Amino acid sequence: MTDATRCPACQSEHAYQDRDLWICPECGHEWSAASSAAAEAPADTGVRDAHGNVLNDGDSVIVMKDLKVKGSSSVVKGGTKVRNIRLQDASDGHNIACKIDGIGAMNLKSEFVKKA
């Protein structure tokens, strides 16, 4: 059975078609074939903040929680505004490069910031 006819909610293969909708008898989920095709489209690969807003180079962000600085006794306080960020590809998740007043250059994870 193809993935298009599997239920996206419970992965049941007992789904059936009723006009334009697919219906799963096991969980009751209903979906259209057009929406399943749209769900298979590749998602935007841009860097997003904690609220899902797309971040760009040069944006300003606000740190959402206190973050310890590795190798130091310093802490970046929640609510700190960071200006002129640079986005980078990093395998460890630190995809924002920036300079923070009083601390210096650092890398942040986008999941701990929100767009200002």
Side-chain angles (χ1 to χ4, degrees):
M1 180 171 268
T2 66
D3 288 336
T5 58
R6 286 186 177 264
C7 175
C10 69
Q11 297 301 317
S12 171
E13 55 187 37
H14 301 292
Y16 62 91
Q17 189 172 10
D18 183 19
R19 296 186 188 176
D20 294 335
L21 290 178
W22 284 89
I23 301 169
C24 176
E26 293 183 13
C27 69
H29 181 70
E30 298 179 354
W31 70 98
S32 67
S35 68
S36 64
E40 292 175 8
D44 184 20
T45 59
V47 176
R48 296 182 178 269
D49 69 357
H51 298 292
N53 299 320
V54 177
L55 296 174
N56 298 310
D57 285 338
D59 282 348
S60 295
V61 295
I62 298 173
V63 178
M64 293 178 49
K65 67 179 222 171
D66 292 353
L67 300 173
K68 294 180 182 178
V69 178
K70 188 173 185 179
S72 174
S73 62
S74 303
V75 175
V76 178
K77 293 287 188 180
T80 302
K81 187 171 186 179
V82 180
R83 293 180 183 87
N84 198 18
I85 63 169
R86 292 177 311 281
L87 302 178
Q88 61 186 9
D89 291 329
S91 61
D92 62 349
H94 293 85
N95 48 8
I96 297 175
C98 61
K99 288 184 181 176
I100 298 177
D101 294 336
I103 295 176
M106 23 179 350
N107 294 331
L108 299 172
K109 291 185 178 183
S110 60
E111 63 193 61
F112 299 121
V113 299
K114 64 180 178 180
K115 195 169 187 175

